[in-house]
């Protein structure tokens, strides 16, 4: 297993943020990803408008996963409309 860092930009709204964070954890759990660190970076103003949003809630996850599941995780993140953007990098 390799270590990955996942940074996500979520639509604002407390209910939306909580639901989306739960959805992200479900996606990761489905692919047997072990979360080792979770941080909420809070709401920040975006430099450029993203999907009609000027603000987004930033989250950071550090996790361990098999390299073969990363593409599928990224695909599922793109299907969720409440995830404005996600960046998955190898740590």
């Amino acid at each position: 297993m390799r270590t990955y860092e996942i940074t996500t930009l979520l639509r604002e709204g407390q209910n939306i943020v909580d639901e989306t964070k739960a959805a992200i954890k479900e996606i990761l759990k489905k692919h047997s990803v072990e979360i080792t660190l979770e941080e909420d970076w809070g709401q920040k103003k975006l430099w450029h408008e993203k999907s009609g949003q000027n603000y987004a809630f930033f989250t950071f996850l550090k996790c361990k996963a098999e390299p073969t599941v990363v593409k599928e995780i990224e695909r599922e993140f793109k299907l969720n409309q409440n995830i404005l953007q996600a960046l998955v990098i190898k740590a």
Side-chain angles (χ1 to χ4, degrees), residues 36-67:
T36 57
L37 176 70
E38 180 180 358
E39 294 179 3
D40 289 338
W41 288 349
Q43 182 178 334
K44 300 188 184 296
K45 184 167 179 24
L46 300 176
W47 184 260
H48 295 285
E49 187 176 286
K50 185 80 173 164
S51 299
Q53 300 287 312
N54 290 320
Y55 288 87
F57 189 89
F58 285 64
T59 64
F60 174 80
L61 298 167
K62 190 174 251 190
C63 55
K64 293 184 180 183
E66 293 295 331

Side-chain angles (χ1 to χ4, degrees), residues 26-43:
E26 280 299 314
I27 291 169
L28 296 177
K29 182 179 175 185
K30 182 171 74 170
H31 293 288
S32 303
V33 175
E34 175 190 339
I35 299 171
T36 57
L37 176 70
E38 180 180 358
E39 294 179 3
D40 289 338
W41 288 349
Q43 182 178 334

